[in-house]
Amino acid sequence: MLGLRFFACRRCDTVVSVPDVPSRCETCEATSLEEITQELGDYAYFVAAGRSR
Protein backbone atom coordinates (compact mmCIF):
# COMPACT_ATOMS: atom_id res chain seq x y z
CA MET A 1 0.00 0.00 0.00
CA LEU A 2 1.31 3.43 -0.91
CA GLY A 3 1.61 6.07 1.77
CA LEU A 4 -0.32 9.26 1.27
CA ARG A 5 1.44 12.60 1.09
CA PHE A 6 -0.30 15.90 1.80
CA PHE A 7 0.02 18.93 -0.46
CA ALA A 8 -1.37 22.43 0.03
CA CYS A 9 -2.19 25.02 -2.56
CA ARG A 10 -1.40 28.38 -1.00
CA ARG A 11 -3.36 30.15 -3.72
CA CYS A 12 -6.77 28.70 -2.81
CA ASP A 13 -6.04 26.86 0.50
CA THR A 14 -6.95 23.44 -0.91
CA VAL A 15 -5.24 20.43 0.69
CA VAL A 16 -5.02 17.08 -1.08
CA SER A 17 -3.71 13.69 0.00
CA VAL A 18 -2.19 11.63 -2.80
CA PRO A 19 0.65 9.09 -3.14
CA ASP A 20 2.52 11.13 -5.81
CA VAL A 21 3.32 14.81 -6.33
CA PRO A 22 0.40 16.46 -8.16
CA SER A 23 1.30 18.61 -11.16
CA ARG A 24 -1.38 21.21 -10.41
CA CYS A 25 -4.18 22.11 -8.03
CA GLU A 26 -7.46 20.55 -9.12
CA THR A 27 -9.40 23.50 -7.69
CA CYS A 28 -7.63 26.56 -9.10
CA GLU A 29 -5.10 25.07 -11.56
CA ALA A 30 -2.08 26.56 -9.70
CA THR A 31 1.14 24.67 -10.44
CA SER A 32 3.03 25.34 -7.22
CA LEU A 33 1.80 23.02 -4.48
CA GLU A 34 3.72 22.74 -1.22
CA GLU A 35 4.19 19.39 0.49
CA ILE A 36 3.00 19.63 4.10
CA THR A 37 3.17 15.94 5.08
CA GLN A 38 5.81 16.46 7.77
CA GLU A 39 4.00 19.46 9.25
CA LEU A 40 0.82 17.47 9.83
CA GLY A 41 2.31 14.67 11.91
CA ASP A 42 1.79 16.37 15.26
CA TYR A 43 -1.41 18.29 14.67
CA ALA A 44 -4.38 17.58 16.92
CA TYR A 45 -6.52 17.58 13.78
CA PHE A 46 -5.63 13.92 13.33
CA VAL A 47 -6.73 12.91 16.84
CA ALA A 48 -10.39 12.01 17.37
CA ALA A 49 -12.34 14.58 19.35
CA GLY A 50 -12.32 13.89 23.07
CA ARG A 51 -9.27 11.65 22.93
CA SER A 52 -5.77 12.49 24.04
CA ARG A 53 -2.59 11.23 22.50
Side-chain angles (χ1 to χ4, degrees):
M1 183 172 157
L2 297 174
L4 292 177
R5 297 165 63 185
F6 294 85
F7 295 88
C9 175
R10 299 300 183 193
R11 182 173 164 191
C12 70
D13 293 329
T14 297
V15 174
V16 295
S17 58
V18 291
D20 297 314
V21 179
S23 60
R24 62 183 173 73
C25 175
E26 293 182 9
T27 302
C28 74
E29 305 292 322
T31 57
S32 57
L33 291 126
E34 177 183 347
E35 183 166 9
I36 59 169
T37 304
Q38 297 302 318
E39 296 174 30
L40 297 176
D42 293 330
Y43 282 10
Y45 178 82
F46 292 99
V47 177
R51 298 181 71 187
S52 60
R53 292 183 172 188

